[in-house]
C-alpha cells in the first residue's frame, strides 16, 4: 500500500546530475510512462544532450541504467527507502568504433535525427559532416572522458558578439605561444647567440640533465645568494 501511495503524488521531484552539475526536474505527472520521456526532454534542454544514458545507484552502490519504466520505478523506490529525492545520473552514450573494413553510412552520418553515430559535441566541428566516406576517410570517435570536458574560456568566447569590434582593428592572438609573432617581445641578441652557439657545438642535441644544466644552476645560485645566505648549484633544481 505504501508503495502505491508513493506513486499517487500529482508531481514528482528529481535531481538530474551531469558531470557534477545538478538540476532539479519537477514532473507534472506521476505517470511513469510519461516521466521518462519528460526527463529526456529536460536533459536535452538543460544540458544540450540528446544521446545519453540515465542511471541510478542501487543498494549495492552500482549504477543501473534506466532503460524502461520498470527501471525508473526501481530508482524511485530506492530513493524512497533512503528518504531522499531520486537522483538520475546522466552520462553521454559512448558508441563503439566500427570494426576494420566497416564504413559508416554517409547518409546516416549527416542525418540530424540519427543519434547513434555522433556525440553532441562533435557537431561543433563542421568538417566532421563533410568527410568523404567513399574515399575511406578515418573517423576516430573521441573518448567519453574527452567529450565530457568543458572549456570555460571557450564557453564565454563562443557567446561573444564579434560584430561590435571595429573592422579596422587587428586582433592580437595570445594563444600562439610565440610572443615574437607580431613582433612584441623579440628575444635579446644574448639569447640568440647563446642558442646559436649551443646548436653549432653539436654537444647539446639530446636531453639535458633532469634537474637543470649546471651552468644555469650556478648562475641562479649566484643571482639569489645573499651575504648571510650562500647558495650553490646543489640548492637549485630546474624543471620544465
Amino acid at each position: 500500500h505504501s508503495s502505491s501511495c508513493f506513486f499517487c503524488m500529482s508531481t514528482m521531484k528529481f535531481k538530474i546530475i551531469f558531470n557534477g552539475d545538478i538540476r532539479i526536474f519537477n514532473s507534472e505527472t506521476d505517470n511513469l510512462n510519461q516521466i521518462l520521456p519528460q526527463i529526456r526532454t529536460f536533459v536535452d534542454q538543460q544540458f544540450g544532450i540528446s544521446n545519453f544514458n540515465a542511471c541510478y545507484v542501487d543498494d549495492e552502490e552500482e549504477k543501473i541504467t534506466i532503460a524502461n519504466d520498470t527501471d525508473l520505478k526501481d530508482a524511485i523506490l530506492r530513493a524512497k527507502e533512503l528518504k531522499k529525492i531520486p537522483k538520475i545520473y546522466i552520462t553521454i552514450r559512448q558508441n563503439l568504433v566500427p570494426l576494420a573494413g566497416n564504413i559508416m553510412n554517409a547518409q546516416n552520418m549527416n542525418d540530424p535525427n540519427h543519434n547513434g553515430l555522433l556525440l553532441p559535441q562533435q557537431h561543433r566541428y563542421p568538417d566532421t559532416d563533410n568527410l568523404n566516406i567513399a574515399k575511406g576517410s578515418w573517423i576516430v570517435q573521441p573518448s567519453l572522458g574527452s567529450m565530457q570536458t568543458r572549456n570555460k574560456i571557450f564557453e564565454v568566447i563562443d557567446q561573444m558578439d564579434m560584430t561590435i569590434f571595429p573592422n579596422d582593428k587587428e586582433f592580437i592572438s595570445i594563444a600562439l605561444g610565440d610572443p615574437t609573432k607580431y613582433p612584441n617581445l623579440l628575444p635579446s641578441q644574448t639569447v640568440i647567440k647563446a642558442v646559436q652557439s649551443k646548436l653549432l657545438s653539436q654537444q647539446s642535441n639530446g636531453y639535458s640533465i633532469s634537474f637543470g644544466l649546471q651552468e644555469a644552476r650556478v648562475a641562479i645560485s649566484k643571482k639569489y645568494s645573499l651575504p648571510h645566505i650562500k647558495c650553490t648549484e646543489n640548492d637549485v633544481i630546474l624543471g620544465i
Side-chain angles (χ1 to χ4, degrees), residues 217-237:
R217 291 186 290 113
V218 169
I220 292 175
S221 66
K222 290 180 179 180
K223 172 71 175 178
Y224 290 98
S225 287
L226 298 174
H228 59 290
I229 300 177
K230 296 296 182 180
C231 295
T232 69
E233 65 270 24
N234 295 328
D235 300 313
V236 179
I237 298 177

Side-chain angles (χ1 to χ4, degrees), residues 1-7 73-86:
H1 177 72
S2 59
S3 297
S4 61
C5 288
F6 184 71
F7 295 102
K73 180 178 179 180
D74 292 340
I76 297 172
L77 290 175
R78 174 59 180 161
K80 182 187 177 186
E81 292 174 0
L82 299 174
K83 298 181 179 180
K84 294 183 178 180
I85 298 174

Side-chain angles (χ1 to χ4, degrees), residues 49-188:
I49 304 172
S50 58
N51 188 23
F52 62 89
N53 287 329
C55 309
Y56 74 96
V57 178
D58 67 3
D59 54 353
E60 295 181 349
E61 299 300 320
E62 293 180 337
K63 284 190 176 181
I64 307 299
T65 300
I66 301 176
N68 49 49
D69 297 340
T70 302
D71 295 331
L72 179 60
K73 180 178 179 180
D74 292 340
I76 297 172
L77 290 175
R78 174 59 180 161
K80 182 187 177 186
E81 292 174 0
L82 299 174
K83 298 181 179 180
K84 294 183 178 180
I85 298 174
K87 293 181 179 179
I88 307 297
Y89 295 87
I90 303 302
T91 56
I92 296 177
R93 184 173 295 151
Q94 180 71 27
N95 300 298
L96 296 177
V97 176
L99 297 176
N102 291 343
I103 298 179
M104 292 183 181
N105 184 281
Q107 182 177 0
N108 288 340
M109 189 173 179
N110 292 318
D111 184 359
N113 297 319
H114 186 75
N115 295 326
L117 296 178
L118 294 179
L119 295 176
Q121 288 89 332
Q122 287 177 295
H123 290 289
R124 291 186 53 170
Y125 307 98
D127 291 342
T128 303
D129 295 333
N130 297 323
L131 290 174
N132 190 338
I133 307 300
K135 293 184 178 181
S137 302
W138 281 90
I139 302 176
V140 180
Q141 183 138 5
S143 67
L144 177 60
S146 67
M147 297 306 291
Q148 289 181 331
T149 301
R150 297 177 63 186
N151 190 311
K152 297 293 187 179
I153 296 178
F154 284 167
E155 289 179 5
V156 173
I157 294 177
D158 287 346
Q159 298 181 27
M160 292 178 61
D161 182 6
M162 306 301 289
T163 61
I164 65 175
F165 296 103
N167 295 328
D168 58 341
K169 298 293 183 181
E170 181 183 358
F171 281 98
I172 299 178
S173 174
I174 59 174
L176 293 174
D178 180 9
T180 68
K181 174 71 177 177
Y182 291 97
N184 296 320
L185 296 172
L186 293 176
S188 68

Side-chain angles (χ1 to χ4, degrees), residues 179-210:
T180 68
K181 174 71 177 177
Y182 291 97
N184 296 320
L185 296 172
L186 293 176
S188 68
Q189 289 300 311
T190 301
V191 172
I192 293 175
K193 291 179 180 179
V195 173
Q196 287 177 331
S197 175
K198 286 296 183 181
L199 289 175
L200 293 173
S201 71
Q202 295 295 319
Q203 299 298 313
S204 303
N205 295 332
Y207 289 113
S208 63
I209 302 173
S210 61

